[in-house]
Amino acid sequence: MDDGEEVPFDRLLIASGARPWLPAIESLAGPGIHFLWTLEDADRLNEEFLPERRVAFIGSGFVSMQGAWSACSRGLKVSVLEAMPRILPRVLDAKGSALLEDAMKRQGVEVRVSVGIERVERLAGGRLRILMACEGEPVEADLIVVGAGVRPCLEFLQGTAVEVREGILVDERMRTTAPDIWAAGDVALGPSVFGEPHASHALWPTAVEQGKVAGANMAGQGLVYRGSLNMNVAEMFGLTVASLGRCEESGKGIVRKEMHDRKAGRYVMLLSRDGVPVGGVVVGVPEDLAALAAVRPSVRARREAQSSPGLPFADLHRRLAHSFAGRS
Ligand SMILES: Cc1cc2nc3c(=O)[nH]c(=O)nc-3n(C[C@H](O)[C@H](O)[C@H](O)COP(=O)(O)OP(=O)(O)OC[C@H]3O[C@@H](n4cnc5c(N)ncnc54)[C@H](O)[C@@H]3O)c2cc1C
């Protein structure tokens, strides 16, 4: 503890979660710079979101986009600045992002992608100016909301036997590399549904399930975590936006099926590998969410197989491809 006290343990669970990441942008601190992470952050922004004010969002993840939609519907002038070549880059493919961007622009939001922000300047009267590293017009704003992703809270593990990379490495039983220490939730890198040994999806259901597995195993049971996957659904800018599993993959055996009506603002994409559905994207209307149900049987089969240790992943995929053969 920081007061010098030591708390002994027989078994320890690390569930310290994540915190918002502050990108390396000069002077991105101080008055007018906000996060949208805690209830207090939301309360503070609630007071600041006044009509006609200008707000810039740095990053376009789900949390940031919810904030941008809220600001837009309250009459603020909104800019969204994204370092990657498209918005919601981790959960949407290019066509899904483009449709969402169309809707945002129609509602008056300035969307800028592939930006490299260098520094923030303070102007007279408290205004802020965001300057780009290369060419690109600066963006002026009354407030900036940083929504550039999260980083796990791990500093206190320095110098311990717990192996960390971008999170704590855990096995399928949520055990870390150190004896009698388990980890779960946003801080942990555990098995994914698709066979990666160390993935992070930073989602509530993942944290809950991993916590249950870790707790049971700490009490002497032998539960196996069945793997995490990307799953998101939200309403924003008048569109239902959802993705499940993989949404961008290329290579041998990959087939994309899509329904794309840019004018009507509807996009459904399903991705399969060797005939086995592996993911999908919906941007448009809630009725289209039903399409993602096509991915569920294979996800369920993968998750069930994860709890049968010893089955090689390649073999699992081959068996799934066989059982999905002939289905359209
Ligand atoms: C604004 C927002 C919206 C979200 N929306 C969704 C959503 O729609 N769907 C979804 O699935 N997920 C969502 N999430 C993500 C979800 O909340 C997290 O995945 C989940 O809370 C992770 O649980 P956790 O127990 O691992 O960590 P947390 O819930 O973050 O809990 C970790 C706790 O540990 C504490 N802690 C950290 N370091 C230490 C330390 N050194 N000592 C003691 N305590 C410490 C922290 O203060 C915190 O209280 C959202 C998150 C945010 C912030």
Side-chain angles (χ1 to χ4, degrees), residues 54-326:
R54 257 202 168 280
V55 55
F57 287 80
I58 296 181
S60 69
F62 258 105
V63 172
S64 207
M65 296 296 273
Q66 292 286 312
W69 184 36
S70 163
C72 180
S73 33
R74 287 167 174 225
L76 282 86
K77 297 190 174 76
V78 179
S79 301
V80 172
L81 310 174
E82 168 58 56
M84 302 292 281
R86 60 173 194 269
I87 51 170
L88 272 177
R90 270 181 251 280
V91 292
L92 291 184
D93 63 350
K95 286 182 184 168
S97 287
L99 209 59
L100 178 59
E101 193 176 324
D102 287 349
M104 292 168 74
K105 285 179 171 164
R106 272 199 306 276
Q107 291 170 53
V109 176
E110 179 193 27
V111 179
R112 284 171 62 176
V113 296
S114 302
V115 296
I117 300 174
E118 189 179 66
R119 65 178 200 278
V120 174
E121 269 182 6
R122 289 185 180 273
L123 307 177
R127 259 205 153 192
L128 302 158
R129 182 187 282 150
I130 302 171
L131 291 135
M132 305 300 160
C134 305
E135 74 276 12
E137 285 293 297
V139 173
E140 288 197 11
D142 298 297
L143 60 150
I144 294 173
V145 181
V146 183
V150 299
R151 292 293 181 272
C153 304
L154 325 142
E155 308 70 28
F156 57 95
L157 291 171
Q158 263 181 12
T160 71
V162 176
E163 194 180 341
V164 297
R165 283 185 211 153
E166 300 82 34
I168 301 173
L169 301 190
V170 290
D171 66 10
E172 72 287 352
R173 289 166 201 264
M174 297 289 113
R175 290 177 297 212
T176 70
T177 50
D180 300 321
I181 303 182
W182 282 255
D186 285 2
V187 77
L189 294 180
S192 83
V193 157
F194 294 104
E196 295 108 333
H198 299 299
S200 164
H201 289 103
L203 291 169
W204 180 268
T206 305
V208 170
E209 201 180 340
Q210 289 186 343
K212 284 183 181 171
V213 170
N217 289 338
M218 290 167 79
Q221 292 186 34
L223 293 196
V224 168
Y225 176 60
R226 298 181 307 157
S228 61
L229 82 163
N230 158 50
M231 47 182 163
N232 293 284
V233 58
E235 226 28 58
M236 57 186 81
F237 299 97
L239 293 173
T240 298
V241 176
S243 74
L244 181 66
R246 305 275 205 228
C247 56
E248 275 229 304
E249 202 136 310
S250 55
K252 199 167 157 270
I254 295 290
V255 173
R256 296 167 58 95
K257 283 188 184 165
E258 59 177 52
M259 184 281 290
H260 188 203
D261 187 341
R262 198 161 176 172
K263 265 197 184 149
R266 281 176 76 178
Y267 176 62
V268 178
M269 186 279 295
L270 288 173
L271 201 63
S272 61
R273 185 154 73 90
D274 304 323
V276 182
V278 291
V281 167
V282 168
V283 179
V285 294
E287 291 75 19
D288 288 341
L289 287 175
L292 294 180
V295 186
R296 278 212 212 108
S298 61
V299 166
R300 201 176 301 125
R302 283 176 198 278
R303 300 199 89 217
E304 275 161 16
Q306 302 266 16
S307 43
S308 321
L311 187 67
F313 192 73
D315 202 48
L316 166 63
H317 184 72
R318 211 171 21 249
R319 284 194 314 139
L320 281 173
H322 181 70
S323 71
F324 276 79

Side-chain angles (χ1 to χ4, degrees), residues 9-51:
F9 63 83
D10 296 311
R11 287 164 188 198
L12 172 70
L13 174 67
I14 304 171
S16 48
R19 64 168 72 92
W21 178 57
L22 190 66
I25 295 171
E26 196 185 318
S27 303
L28 186 62
I33 315 288
H34 297 260
F35 292 100
L36 181 44
W37 191 247
T38 62
L39 184 58
E40 291 74 27
D41 292 338
D43 286 341
R44 266 192 296 273
L45 283 174
N46 194 29
E47 313 247 301
E48 298 277 353
F49 276 12
L50 302 172

